[in-house]
Amino acid sequence: MTSEPEQQIGVGVPDAFQRLWTPHRMAYIQGESKPTGPGADDGCPFCSIPAKSDEDGLIVKRGELAYVVLNLYPYTGGHAMAVPYRHVADYTDLTEPETAEVAKLTKQAMTALRRASGAHGFNLGMNQGTVAGAGIAAHLHQHIVPRWGGDTNFMPVVGHTRVLPQLLADTRKMLAEAWPEEG
């Protein structure tokens, strides 16, 4: 069943395109909640998130030295990050126990994402420094981006828009429930 697009007065000339409005992304584009400097007390979201409830902070799992949180501006559904609690910018500055826990949480997140969403593969990585693409360069974080066959379509390429089928709160709950037992 196809219906004619609803005419909206004042939005331009009607054409064949349908629009996906994502006004929540304007906060990201305008740099809202970005740190004002490199220090932990300069508004670093990765330092403030652990003080929130898991639901409010979108925290999936807390460890002793690091935690897993959903990305507020995800590349794909389930895009998570493993983040050390300590405010440190460079991977080489992590202690051995911090490195081990970030790696362990990354592996567990992959297991949970496979269980919860049937992810076919993953992009894993850290952008070290602003010039390397780090949105928040002052606090290290490992991206865990689930991927599925055929998940990239014309939207990111042509429309510079990502279509996410689930609310972040629902994704956080699903992943927390699918988290593997410690072992």
Side-chain angles (χ1 to χ4, degrees):
M1 178 171 152
T2 339
S3 62
E4 289 295 315
E6 184 179 324
Q7 178 87 24
Q8 294 183 19
I9 306 301
V11 296
V13 179
D15 55 30
F17 293 101
Q18 292 188 19
R19 282 16 178 218
L20 290 176
W21 302 106
T22 57
H24 64 279
R25 291 201 49 83
M26 190 53 71
Y28 178 76
I29 292 166
Q30 293 176 336
E32 276 183 34
S33 300
K34 276 209 151 180
T36 57
D41 295 331
D42 292 329
C44 176
F46 295 131
C47 289
S48 64
I49 288 170
K52 299 178 181 182
S53 71
D54 290 354
E55 291 77 13
D56 290 341
L58 297 174
I59 296 172
V60 179
K61 179 67 176 177
R62 293 175 190 260
E64 286 184 40
L65 303 171
Y67 64 98
V68 174
V69 63
L70 291 181
N71 191 315
L72 194 53
Y73 305 102
Y75 295 128
T76 64
H79 178 173
M81 296 173 290
V83 184
Y85 290 114
R86 188 166 63 97
H87 187 84
V88 58
D90 197 273
Y91 185 71
T92 61
D93 292 334
L94 288 178
T95 65
E96 289 301 318
E98 287 170 328
T99 302
E101 188 158 282
V102 167
K104 175 183 173 183
L105 289 171
T106 297
K107 288 172 64 173
Q108 289 176 332
M110 291 171 66
T111 298
L113 283 159
R114 283 189 181 112
R115 284 181 185 168
S117 66
H120 298 151
F122 295 88
N123 292 117
L124 304 174
M126 296 180 194
N127 299 325
Q128 293 286 273
T130 305
V131 297
I136 299 175
H139 198 134
L140 175 110
H141 50 285
Q142 163 96 347
H143 290 268
I144 307 153
V145 183
R147 301 300 303 270
W148 297 267
D151 67 357
T152 300
N153 58 26
F154 70 94
M155 292 300 289
V157 176
V158 175
H160 299 284
T161 301
R162 291 186 174 88
V163 179
L164 302 169
Q166 189 174 48
L167 295 173
L168 290 175
D170 295 339
T171 303
R172 192 218 65 81
K173 184 175 187 288
M174 180 181 72
L175 288 179
E177 290 171 355
W179 202 264
E181 295 297 320
E182 299 291 324

